[in-house]
Amino acid sequence: MLKKFKADLHIHTCLSPCADEEMFPQRIIKQAKMNNLDIVGICDHNSAENVIVTQKIGQSEKIAVIGGIEATSQEEVHILALFDNVKELFELQEVIYEKLLDFNDEEVFGKQLIINEDNEVIGSNNKFLIGATSLSLQEIVKTICSMGGLNIASHIDRSSFSIIAQLGFIPKGLPLDALELSPNYESQTSLFAGRQVNPELYGFPLVTFSDAHFLKDIGKSYTIFLMEEASIREIKKALSGEDGRKVMI
Amino acid sequence: MKLNQVIKELGLGVKFKISNLDKEVSGGYASDLLSDVIANAKKGNVWITLQIHPNIVGVATLKELAGIIIVNAREPEAETLKKAEQENIPIMVTELPAFEIIGKLYRLLRGV
């Protein structure tokens, strides 16, 4: 039977150096519950090391947690990669780690905290997570596709780190599953500039998520998926409108 | 100044055989944000960037730029070169970083 799922699939944890240090998995799940979210997506910059812990906490709180990474291409375009299985997610993480600098100055860029189920800091990541990989956008999107993941161009209405800002328009033939709009997308103009350049390329489904870096922003923007269960497989069907499934923003 | 003279004076590498190197260069524009180039570059400008993605050709075509100079010895992607050839957009390369090549180009075009 088809049900409505309220989803915010773009949330950072305290692993992202630019996210608030309060973004512990337990607090994220609590905040998601307060906002009546059914599904959250954990997408830290270039890493997935707080995914499993958040999934465990989500399970006990009856919130579906989809694991992901917000990858940075060499053109400095952000792409969300979400997976049903952590196996593929960690394979992608390996591909990314090989193409990322081994360095982080937490005084300058922020801490990259790894958390356990008991809400304790168990370590910190030492990759340059805020940086760009040396993978091209094309390579990243193709890799995500070949691993069966969902790929979404992040906050395409924003003037930094978005596909439109960095590349002017969406390259033809890039197999994106959807485009993400920021919570305040109505006030943005770059999206329309991009559309003027290449109107035929904007046949992609649109979604909107919070890109929360602070607890208060979780669920600020969300997308409703009408589908059978909380999975990437079902979300893909909803995005392409298969078998009565659909997306509402 | 004509593009072929700019190429000669700055010692730029040209990535393929192109027919329209006698275009007039109206000035230069430097940016790595393609949306910014769409908004602010002027017709006939030569564009200095480190971007190597195929979209640079689309932007240059749209804005009727004289050509693209890729800095820091970066190699354009194969697809970029293919598109540039189709669209007849001159792609030039230099080993110099942007600051150096822009300085030289500025002196050349403004005669200072």
Side-chain angles (χ1 to χ4, degrees):
Chain A
M1 208 187 71
L2 301 181
K3 283 196 303 184
K4 281 182 181 174
F5 290 85
K6 186 176 171 182
D8 182 356
L9 299 183
H10 187 175
I11 296 173
H12 291 265
T13 75
C14 50
L15 174 60
S16 293
C18 45
D20 194 72
E21 280 177 40
E22 298 284 300
M23 291 296 262
F24 275 44
Q26 222 170 58
R27 294 192 185 128
I28 291 172
I29 295 297
K30 198 176 148 200
Q31 189 75 16
K33 236 181 152 168
M34 268 170 54
N35 288 310
N36 301 314
L37 291 171
D38 301 301
I39 315 174
V40 301
I42 296 299
C43 293
D44 281 306
H45 292 296
N46 297 312
S47 182
E49 293 190 51
N50 277 340
V51 163
I52 290 179
V53 56
T54 317
Q55 284 178 330
K56 283 184 180 158
I57 297 166
Q59 208 168 18
S60 56
E61 296 292 330
K62 307 269 185 293
I63 287 191
V65 177
I66 295 181
I69 287 180
E70 185 173 33
T72 310
S73 76
Q74 68 175 5
E75 302 90 351
E76 300 197 332
V77 172
H78 287 179
I79 295 288
L80 299 176
L82 293 133
F83 292 87
D84 273 331
N85 300 312
V86 288
K87 184 178 167 279
E88 285 82 15
L89 178 62
F90 288 127
E91 275 171 29
L92 177 68
Q93 179 178 270
E94 274 315 300
V95 173
I96 288 173
Y97 278 2
E98 273 179 35
K99 304 286 184 180
L100 204 58
L101 294 177
D102 277 307
F103 140 93
N104 183 50
D105 185 338
E106 56 181 42
E107 291 291 310
V108 180
F109 300 104
K111 291 182 179 164
Q112 304 182 153
L113 305 175
I114 301 168
I115 309 298
N116 72 8
E117 274 176 85
D118 299 320
N119 225 17
E120 295 161 340
V121 176
I122 50 167
S124 58
N125 180 295
N126 60 0
K127 290 281 187 181
F128 191 43
L129 299 184
I130 199 72
T133 63
S134 53
L135 294 160
S136 73
L137 177 65
Q138 190 79 20
E139 284 171 315
I140 289 182
V141 172
K142 275 191 177 161
T143 307
I144 299 166
C145 275
S146 70
M147 290 174 170
L150 179 76
N151 65 67
I152 300 175
S154 299
H155 41 65
I156 61 155
D157 51 314
R158 272 183 40 191
S159 58
S160 52
F161 301 112
S162 79
I163 191 166
I164 308 257
Q166 304 299 123
L167 291 181
F169 58 94
I170 298 170
K172 219 173 211 162
L174 192 69
L176 294 167
D177 293 306
L179 311 178
E180 182 207 42
L181 299 169
S182 306
N184 54 345
Y185 62 87
E186 280 158 6
S187 64
Q188 304 284 345
T189 54
S190 56
L191 175 61
F192 302 105
R195 197 171 260 167
Q196 272 175 358
V197 183
N198 242 330
E200 76 279 11
L201 298 179
Y202 290 79
F204 295 98
L206 297 175
V207 290
T208 177
F209 305 126
S210 71
D211 188 12
H213 286 65
F214 295 86
L215 285 170
K216 64 174 172 52
D217 293 330
I218 292 170
K220 197 173 177 182
S221 190
Y222 56 85
T223 298
I224 307 260
F225 293 96
L226 183 69
M227 56 190 182
E228 228 163 46
E229 55 169 30
S231 71
I232 291 299
R233 205 171 57 99
E234 281 289 309
I235 289 173
K236 281 188 180 176
K237 278 187 164 184
L239 288 169
S240 50
E242 279 173 60
D243 304 332
R245 284 135 177 95
K246 57 182 178 180
V247 178
M248 291 163 265
I249 66 167
Chain B
M1 186 175 287
K2 302 278 189 203
L3 184 61
N4 45 18
Q5 198 184 340
V6 172
I7 293 169
K8 205 175 128 207
E9 297 283 341
L10 300 182
L12 302 172
V14 178
K15 290 311 284 186
F16 53 87
K17 217 168 146 47
I18 22 179
S19 53
N20 56 349
L21 292 181
D22 60 345
K23 287 183 192 178
E24 193 63 32
V25 175
S26 63
Y29 195 75
S31 180
D32 300 320
L33 270 185
L34 277 65
S35 55
D36 169 57
V37 180
I38 291 173
N40 298 313
K42 304 271 186 311
K43 184 180 172 180
N45 281 179
V46 61
W47 170 24
I48 298 99
T49 184
L50 52 69
Q51 289 262 20
I52 53 173
H53 190 276
N55 275 17
I56 61 175
V57 178
V59 171
T61 309
L62 175 85
K63 299 297 289 190
E64 300 176 64
L65 302 181
I68 306 168
I69 300 176
I70 297 175
V71 300
N72 255 356
R74 285 165 71 100
E75 276 294 313
E77 290 175 21
E79 187 61 27
T80 307
L81 292 178
K82 210 172 100 190
K83 279 203 170 142
E85 223 161 349
Q86 279 166 8
E87 300 289 336
N88 213 17
I89 293 290
I91 292 204
M92 295 144 288
V93 290
T94 176
E95 305 224 320
L96 295 175
F99 179 78
E100 304 283 333
I101 198 72
I102 290 165
K104 287 182 181 222
L105 181 65
Y106 187 87
R107 277 174 76 169
L108 186 66
L109 295 180
R110 298 287 166 91
V112 287

